[in-house]
Amino acid sequence: QVQLVESGGGLVQPGGSLRLSCAGSGRIGSIYYMRWYRQAPGKQRDLVASITSAGTTAYADSVKGRFTISRDNVKNTVYLQMNSLKPEDTAVYYCNAETFSNSYWGQGTQVTVSS
C-alpha cells in the first residue's frame, strides 16, 4: 500500500540546522496537502508546515522564518529545512499526506536540539 518514510533526524546544537526528508511510495492518489507535524513527549501533535499541490506553503508561528517546506516531484520527496533550531523544537517529526478520502502517516523521525 502507501508508504511514507521520514529520515534526517538526529541530535543538533541550538542554532544548528537539519533537513528532514519524507519519501513516498505506492499509489496515494490526488494529494491535497503534504504536511509536517511534530510531537514532543507528553504534548499533542502539532502542525508545523504544509505545502499544497500548487506549491503554496504555510507555517506554524513558532517556526516561521526558520523552517522551509519544499518538494521534489521527480524524487517523490518532501523536505523540511530547519534552521536556527531551538531546544523547544525537540520532538518526533511526522510526514503526512492528505487526499480526498485518506490520510497517510510516516513513522516519524526524532529531532533533538540540545547543547
Side-chain angles (χ1 to χ4, degrees):
Q1 206 176 357
V2 173
Q3 184 177 6
L4 300 176
V5 180
E6 301 97 337
S7 63
L11 176 64
V12 65
Q13 293 185 348
S17 298
L18 286 173
R19 188 171 80 159
L20 306 183
S21 299
C22 174
S25 63
R27 195 187 186 286
I28 301 177
S30 298
I31 299 176
Y32 294 144
Y33 302 94
M34 291 296 301
R35 304 190 289 198
W36 285 98
Y37 285 78
R38 67 185 182 187
Q39 186 170 26
K43 298 182 179 179
Q44 68 178 20
R45 187 173 297 185
D46 294 325
L47 177 64
V48 176
S50 67
I51 186 167
T52 70
S53 60
T56 302
T57 59
Y59 301 92
D61 288 341
S62 59
V63 306
K64 279 185 177 178
R66 300 188 297 119
F67 290 12
T68 302
I69 187 171
S70 62
R71 66 184 184 187
D72 185 333
N73 291 332
V74 175
K75 295 183 179 295
N76 199 30
T77 301
V78 177
Y79 303 96
L80 185 67
Q81 178 66 46
M82 306 185 295
N83 299 324
S84 302
L85 283 162
K86 305 174 180 179
E88 52 262 43
D89 296 319
T90 296
V92 177
Y93 284 71
Y94 297 91
C95 181
N96 165 248
E98 294 287 342
T99 69
F100 176 78
S101 57
N102 288 291
S103 179
Y104 303 97
W105 293 86
Q107 288 195 256
T109 184
Q110 176 71 48
V111 172
T112 302
V113 184
S114 176
S115 61

